[in-house]
Amino acid sequence: MWSNIFSRLNLIRFGIAIISVIAIVITLPRTDHQSFSYELNQPWKYPLLTADFDIPILRDSVSARAMRDSIDKVFIPFVKRNDDIKKENIDKFTQLLSHNANPQQTQSLLKLMNKVYDNGLLDSRVYAGLEARNDKRLRLVVNENDKKTVVSIDASDMLSPAKAYAMIDSIYHSHSNAEGHLNSDIQKAINLCLNANIVIDSLTDYKYRSQEYLNVTGAMGIIKKGQRIVDRGEIINRQIFTNLNTYQEMMVSRQSETNHTYFIIGQAMYIILIISILYIFLSLYRSRFFGNIRKMSFLMSFTTLFILFAILMCEYFTNGIYLIPFAAVPVIILVFFDSRTAIFSLLTTVLISALVATYQFQFIFMEFVVGLAATFSLRQLSRRSQLLRTAVLSFISYVATYFTICLITEGNLSQFSLKMIGTFAINSVILSFAYILILVIEKLFGFTSTVTLVELSDINNKLLQRLATEAPGTFQHSIQVSTLASEAARAIGANSTMVRTGALYHDIGKMTSPIFFTENQHGVTPHAGLDPETSAHKIISHVTEGVNLASKAKLPEVIKEFIREHHGRGLAKYFYTTAVNENPDKVIDKSKFQYPGPNPQSKETAILMMADAVEAASRSLKDYTPASIDNLVDRIIDSQIQDGLLKEAPISMRDIETVKRTFKTRLSTIYHSRVAYPEMKKNTATAEELKKNSTLASPLADKQIEENSDSSDSSENNN
């Protein structure tokens, strides 16, 4: 028991499920509250929102910026004075002048430099701010008796380095009778030695300015718990927009203060429960899918990627989750699986995606209705044009469910939005391109869609044309088998398109040696000169030859399954019986007369096996009465059951009985009794002779001629 539970197959299956759960949980947003999408100056599209806790009412960004600007205009900056700058620059200036100026120039320039530094040489940015304000004061923090005191200083006489240079140049020349202009070396020396000794005190300035800003950033009031934040349809002005942002930020902040472990565990358990339901359904009712790792890998990876895409679209786009064509999930899965699996997959995808939907009930209702409508409109995809019809029906379903939701939530159509209708239209257009995704999946996972099967069933296909030319009898046999098998498949709910296509190709291996098969012979049989074992080998080899031809023609794997399984592990009974009869004292090795198999593994290949044997045997009947046809069908199929050829196929005895009835009805129609035409007892030449020899015919003679002529025409028509 335990070895079965922990078998490699189960480990792979559950490994796929665990990977899906982890990927979804990681992608889900870390929030345990509703997330909203809203825009400034747009109406609030959700119902009444009330506060879950007390929320401070902060100023909106525009008002806050205006208040900060007004504070900056009147705020007196804090600066600090560095007297060491003066000493360093005066000493440097004196040294430079000793080489470039005479004593008189040096004395005059040093006097001006000392005056500039004594008044205060401001940083350029501080000076520009001072010029922009009417108040020419600055503040300075000084130490008095080991205590810091803020003092205000007059900065009206303070200059920036550029202004100080211009002033020195102007004053020097207005009082100088010398050269008229300072030479370039002295100019460079002045520029080099004019460095600000009063600069902004960044820390102190930021501290006091932030205190002033508290009047801006502080709360103007409080929205109490339970009070309204915004109601549906209300235009989101700047203040409401700020309140909503505050609410969202505080919600995130409150969550960051708590432990998210339980919330994440809850999300994981929710996802695990839903995926478990899907797994239980597949294991109980779709074991052929559940046991196929390739199909399980596709099913889980497809639904998981779809969910991840929905989560990301919801996070980054307004109403982005409604741009996702969830109806594509059942449509695509229906193509490769069946309707019930498609519906369960839709349910799984929608329920998990609802974790990020703003209003889960409306989302689930809408997407499930639309998905079911798409599924019901597309019982079997055989033409690309069918997807257009499905897209139109999906759009109609979206509009109808949206209309219904508006009436339920509002009692009117005040919130009916044409923008949402446009979103649904885009969704439906994307759905109509699902055909491209189907082709990609076929290539990636090696699946075969119904569309591909329909294309392969065209008798103008190159391989079928070759079969018709090289083995015409086998071609006709294949067509008859495809008709029988597809009708039986419809009767028991199997894939009739797959059966029909598989039946057309099941005997292509006979093309290599068509003359060895009865339907292609014309009175002469090559088996006459061969021993039973060699003849059996020639007959049996058409299976392996057929698989080789299918591989060269790149036919899908599902078609190869029909070729391999249409005889199963059965015997070439005619030649085996002949060998036994010819060698009564010898033990005949059955394996040399046995087809390679395997036995049919699906309903469809089982139907083909029955149809193939019945159609071939029906050609040997001498009398096509209902009783003889019934006996033939029962004998052939019962023999296959007794030989154990159908025991591995998921087909019930009830289905087999239905298949039998279908075969009997169809064969009776094909080989119906024909009406026996009566023999002509009267000489038809009489009328012609009478007409030729009579020149003057009486009215009675004319009537006789007409009756004979009518009788002759009637006989010819009947023949």
Side-chain angles (χ1 to χ4, degrees):
M1 175 182 175
W2 289 106
S3 61
N4 182 45
I5 292 174
F6 293 104
S7 66
R8 179 174 173 272
L9 194 62
N10 283 329
L11 287 174
I12 294 173
R13 273 196 295 258
F14 291 110
I16 294 169
I18 291 169
I19 292 171
S20 297
V21 172
I22 293 172
I24 295 169
V25 170
I26 290 173
T27 310
L28 283 171
R30 292 289 162 263
T31 175
D32 56 1
H33 70 282
Q34 274 185 339
S35 58
F36 302 100
S37 296
Y38 50 89
E39 297 177 12
L40 188 64
N41 298 324
Q42 295 297 318
W44 179 253
K45 57 179 177 287
Y46 306 107
L48 173 66
L49 177 65
T50 57
D52 298 329
F53 41 80
D54 291 350
I55 303 171
I57 301 174
L58 305 178
R59 284 184 174 83
D60 65 88
S61 58
V62 174
S63 300
R65 191 180 303 111
M67 287 195 68
R68 281 196 295 269
D69 290 344
S70 65
I71 288 172
D72 289 338
K73 286 181 181 179
V74 299
F75 184 79
I76 300 173
F78 280 82
V79 295
K80 55 185 177 181
R81 186 167 192 147
N82 189 346
D83 291 328
D84 292 336
I85 297 291
K86 173 187 174 183
K87 184 177 182 308
E88 290 174 6
N89 283 281
I90 291 295
D91 291 344
K92 183 192 291 186
F93 189 59
T94 302
Q95 186 177 1
L96 291 171
L97 288 179
S98 65
H99 301 290
N100 299 293
N102 57 47
Q104 185 180 356
Q105 285 179 321
T106 301
Q107 184 179 2
S108 176
L109 289 171
L110 284 173
K111 184 178 179 179
L112 291 174
M113 288 287 282
N114 276 294
K115 181 180 178 181
V116 168
Y117 274 110
D118 288 339
N119 289 339
L121 193 59
L122 292 173
D123 179 78
S124 298
R125 289 177 297 177
V126 178
Y127 182 82
L130 197 65
E131 287 289 296
R133 292 189 295 109
N134 294 325
D135 193 342
K136 301 299 181 183
R137 290 178 300 163
L138 295 172
R139 285 186 284 186
L140 191 68
V141 177
V142 297
N143 287 319
E144 293 181 356
N145 300 324
D146 295 330
K147 291 184 179 180
K148 290 186 177 182
T149 306
V150 176
V151 296
S152 179
I153 57 175
D154 184 10
S156 55
D157 293 333
M158 295 182 182
L159 300 172
S160 67
K163 290 289 184 180
Y165 176 85
M167 184 204 72
I168 291 172
D169 184 64
S170 175
I171 291 175
Y172 178 80
H173 288 298
S174 64
H175 294 83
S176 174
N177 298 318
E179 296 88 336
H181 290 284
L182 297 171
N183 63 45
S184 60
D185 291 332
I186 296 176
Q187 289 176 348
K188 289 178 181 179
I190 295 172
N191 270 325
L192 189 63
C193 296
L194 284 174
N195 294 301
N197 66 333
I198 297 178
V199 296
I200 195 76
D201 187 352
S202 302
L203 293 176
T204 307
D205 189 83
Y206 176 78
K207 174 183 174 183
Y208 282 88
R209 198 181 293 265
S210 297
Q211 289 177 354
E212 294 289 336
Y213 285 164
L214 286 176
N215 295 325
V216 178
T217 58
M220 299 185 297
I222 294 177
I223 301 175
K224 290 287 187 180
K225 181 179 179 180
Q227 281 189 316
R228 179 183 68 85
I229 298 175
V230 64
D231 203 352
R232 185 189 286 272
E234 191 173 353
I235 299 299
I236 302 174
N237 57 30
R238 294 188 182 279
Q239 187 58 59
I240 295 175
F241 188 81
T242 302
N243 294 343
L244 288 170
N245 287 341
T246 304
Y247 171 70
Q248 296 278 62
E249 289 170 5
M250 290 186 68
M251 183 68 78
V252 172
S253 176
R254 287 165 68 91
Q255 290 170 0
S256 63
E257 295 170 2
T258 61
N259 190 348
H260 285 288
T261 304
Y262 292 118
F263 176 64
I264 296 172
I265 291 173
Q267 285 183 330
M269 289 182 65
Y270 175 84
I271 297 166
I272 290 170
L273 285 172
I274 293 174
I275 292 179
S276 296
I277 292 172
L278 176 63
Y279 265 51
I280 292 169
F281 163 75
L282 291 171
S283 64
L284 293 178
Y285 301 104
R286 293 295 181 271
S287 56
R288 66 184 186 278
F289 299 150
F290 192 66
N292 189 315
I293 293 300
R294 184 177 50 155
K295 290 191 174 182
M296 285 299 296
S297 299
F298 160 70
L299 184 64
M300 293 307 299
S301 60
F302 178 68
T303 53
T304 301
L305 288 173
F306 215 92
I307 292 166
L308 297 181
F309 186 53
I311 292 170
L312 295 175
M313 287 292 289
C314 186
E315 283 294 298
Y316 295 105
F317 296 94
T318 304
N319 294 323
I321 199 167
Y322 292 105
L323 287 170
I324 306 297
F326 284 91
V329 173
V331 166
I332 291 173
I333 292 178
L334 177 64
V335 170
F336 301 112
F337 292 80
D338 59 22
S339 58
R340 289 188 183 181
T341 307
I343 291 171
F344 262 86
S345 300
L346 169 68
L347 183 63
T348 300
T349 306
V350 170
L351 286 177
I352 295 177
S353 299
L355 285 171
V356 294
T358 302
Y359 291 98
Q360 288 89 351
F361 167 74
Q362 290 91 327
F363 170 77
I364 292 171
F365 168 68
M366 183 178 291
E367 296 298 347
F368 200 59
V369 169
V370 174
L372 288 177
T375 306
F376 297 153
S377 71
L378 198 69
R379 291 186 60 189
Q380 197 173 68
L381 180 63
S382 57
R383 297 184 305 276
R384 282 169 285 186
S385 59
Q386 289 175 283
L387 285 172
L388 295 176
R389 181 186 64 187
T390 300
V392 171
L393 287 174
S394 297
F395 176 72
I396 294 171
S397 300
Y398 268 122
V399 175
T401 51
Y402 180 57
F403 182 85
T404 304
I405 289 170
C406 287
L407 291 178
I408 290 174
T409 55
E410 296 297 322
N412 55 54
L413 295 178
S414 60
Q415 299 303 315
F416 192 84
S417 170
L418 291 178
K419 186 177 180 180
M420 284 299 295
I421 301 300
T423 301
F424 299 146
I426 295 171
N427 182 307
S428 301
V429 170
I430 297 172
L431 174 62
S432 66
F433 287 98
Y435 182 78
I436 298 172
L437 189 55
I438 291 170
L439 294 178
V440 173
I441 292 169
E442 279 190 297
K443 298 298 182 184
L444 288 178
F445 290 90
F447 294 155
T448 306
S449 68
T450 309
V451 177
T452 301
L453 291 173
V454 170
E455 291 173 353
L456 288 174
S457 65
D458 184 357
I459 59 173
N460 291 315
N461 182 282
K462 184 178 179 181
L463 199 57
L464 292 180
Q465 282 290 300
R466 183 183 162 192
L467 179 64
T469 303
E470 297 180 15
T474 300
F475 178 72
Q476 291 301 322
H477 161 71
S478 299
I479 290 176
Q480 293 283 14
V481 171
S482 71
T483 303
L484 273 178
S486 60
E487 195 164 327
R490 275 192 295 272
I492 66 170
N495 191 328
S496 59
T497 305
M498 183 186 295
V499 172
R500 181 172 59 251
T501 308
L504 289 173
Y505 289 89
H506 79 285
D507 271 346
I508 57 173
K510 292 181 179 180
M511 284 192 293
T512 56
S513 302
I515 194 62
F516 283 94
F517 299 91
T518 307
E519 66 267 22
N520 299 310
Q521 294 169 1
H522 301 284
V524 178
T525 171
H527 293 288
L530 301 176
D531 61 89
E533 186 178 322
T534 304
S535 293
H537 174 72
K538 285 289 186 181
I539 296 298
I540 291 169
S541 65
H542 84 275
V543 172
T544 53
E545 292 292 344
V547 173
N548 292 336
L549 285 172
S551 298
K552 289 178 182 178
K554 296 183 180 179
L555 294 181
E557 186 63 29
V558 67
I559 302 299
K560 296 177 187 176
E561 289 173 2
F562 280 95
I563 298 172
R564 293 189 192 99
E565 299 173 18
H566 76 277
H567 283 295
R569 295 282 295 165
L571 289 174
K573 285 188 176 180
Y574 178 88
F575 297 106
Y576 176 70
T577 303
T578 302
V580 171
N581 292 338
E582 290 180 356
N583 302 276
D585 300 326
K586 184 179 178 182
V587 177
I588 303 300
D589 185 0
K590 264 190 177 184
S591 63
K592 294 181 179 179
F593 297 85
Q594 194 170 37
Y595 285 93
N599 288 329
Q601 303 295 304
S602 65
K603 278 186 178 181
E604 288 76 15
T605 53
I607 291 169
L608 176 62
M609 172 182 276
M610 292 185 277
D612 183 41
V614 166
E615 199 283 331
S618 68
R619 294 171 179 265
S620 65
L621 284 176
K622 296 180 180 179
D623 183 17
Y624 293 103
T625 63
S628 65
I629 290 173
D630 289 356
N631 290 334
L632 173 73
V633 172
D634 289 336
R635 178 169 54 81
I636 295 295
I637 296 178
D638 289 345
S639 174
Q640 291 176 335
I641 295 172
Q642 289 172 6
D643 292 342
L645 299 180
L646 299 175
K647 64 182 180 182
E648 296 175 35
I651 188 168
S652 65
M653 291 303 299
R654 184 176 181 178
D655 287 340
I656 291 174
E657 289 301 318
T658 303
V659 170
K660 282 182 179 181
R661 286 197 300 273
T662 305
F663 286 169
K664 292 171 185 178
T665 303
R666 185 64 183 172
L667 288 173
S668 296
T669 304
I670 295 172
Y671 301 115
H672 62 275
S673 300
R674 289 168 172 76
V675 177
Y677 294 119
E679 293 183 2
M680 182 66 66
K681 296 180 179 180
K682 193 173 184 178
N683 189 356
T684 57
T686 305
E688 294 296 330
E689 291 174 0
L690 287 172
K691 189 173 182 180
K692 185 184 292 185
N693 296 330
S694 300
T695 54
L696 295 172
S698 65
L700 184 60
D702 290 340
K703 182 179 180 183
Q704 182 66 42
I705 291 170
E706 288 175 5
E707 287 178 354
N708 289 339
S709 178
D710 289 342
S711 177
S712 175
D713 290 342
S714 176
S715 177
E716 289 176 1
N717 288 335
N718 286 334
N719 289 329

